[in-house]
Amino acid sequence: MSYISEKANVYDTAKIGENVSIGAFAEIGNKVKIGNNVKIGCGAFIPENVIIQDDVFIGPHTVFVNDKYPPSNGAWRDEFPTIVYSGTSIGANSTILPSIQIQGNVGAGSVVTKDVPEGAVVYGNPAKDPYLEADRQYQTTITNLNKGKQSVQSDDDNQIVKDLVSTDDPPVIDEEVSKLNLPNFKKVK
């Protein structure tokens, strides 16, 4: 059973699925598509050119933007829509820029400027996933070391990496540490 607050502003052209909850003072714009089992917090702003799939949580006061360079006089209508994929949660007070695909989760107060991949948890301004960032940095470091370049952050880090790669055996990195990309990763023998 759906619940739409009498204080919410929902355009007649919006398509809303079953078992949807829309809080007070939320605005659901022209031609917005909302799937089943979606919860939208109070004061959320969801304008035209946004698609929300099933089983999504949109926190209170979340704002979706459809015009990156206002006023564009409707030119944004030709842009790719923002899509929030099934199972996603977006924390309160987040801002979602236009033409974004969100497949992971967004922490409260975030400004989402890029696509969010499946399994990611992004937060901050701009929103980033520290584990994905750390993994990218780790992969870059290993790639550069394999090419003979030193691209680590400090002398202590250099020594740790040198110790790792100077053994006859190929380095094996502790799984948890490699996810975090901390400079004190362990040698496993």
Side-chain angles (χ1 to χ4, degrees), residues 65-110:
V65 178
N66 61 6
D67 191 352
K68 195 169 185 176
Y69 305 104
S72 67
N73 299 319
W76 52 265
R77 286 185 176 95
D78 298 330
E79 298 293 325
F80 189 79
T82 296
I83 302 173
V84 180
Y85 287 83
S86 294
T88 298
S89 290
I90 299 176
N93 293 310
S94 294
T95 300
I96 315 298
L97 293 186
S99 302
I100 301 282
Q101 294 186 56
I102 301 176
Q103 298 179 48
N105 294 318
V106 177
S110 298

Side-chain angles (χ1 to χ4, degrees), residues 142-176:
I142 295 301
T143 300
N144 288 337
L145 285 169
N146 289 336
K147 292 178 181 177
K149 297 178 182 176
Q150 294 292 328
S151 67
V152 288
Q153 298 154 342
S154 70
D155 290 337
D156 290 338
D157 294 342
N158 280 331
Q159 188 57 50
I160 291 166
V161 173
K162 283 179 188 175
D163 290 346
L164 263 174
V165 296
S166 65
T167 64
D168 293 334
D169 299 325
V172 179
I173 312 296
D174 178 81
E175 197 173 310
E176 288 302 311

Side-chain angles (χ1 to χ4, degrees), residues 40-132:
I40 299 170
C42 66
F45 178 75
I46 305 173
E48 186 174 343
N49 215 24
V50 175
I51 299 169
I52 299 172
Q53 294 185 344
D54 298 339
D55 304 309
V56 170
F57 173 81
I58 307 290
H61 306 284
T62 294
V63 174
F64 287 80
V65 178
N66 61 6
D67 191 352
K68 195 169 185 176
Y69 305 104
S72 67
N73 299 319
W76 52 265
R77 286 185 176 95
D78 298 330
E79 298 293 325
F80 189 79
T82 296
I83 302 173
V84 180
Y85 287 83
S86 294
T88 298
S89 290
I90 299 176
N93 293 310
S94 294
T95 300
I96 315 298
L97 293 186
S99 302
I100 301 282
Q101 294 186 56
I102 301 176
Q103 298 179 48
N105 294 318
V106 177
S110 298
V111 178
V112 180
T113 60
K114 297 179 180 176
D115 291 348
V116 178
E118 185 175 358
V121 178
V122 300
Y123 56 89
N125 180 5
K128 294 180 183 177
D129 184 330
Y131 297 106
L132 291 177

Side-chain angles (χ1 to χ4, degrees), residues 5 7-10 22-29 40-46:
S5 171
K7 295 182 179 178
N9 184 26
V10 180
I22 300 174
F25 307 109
E27 177 154 337
I28 310 301
I40 299 170
C42 66
F45 178 75
I46 305 173

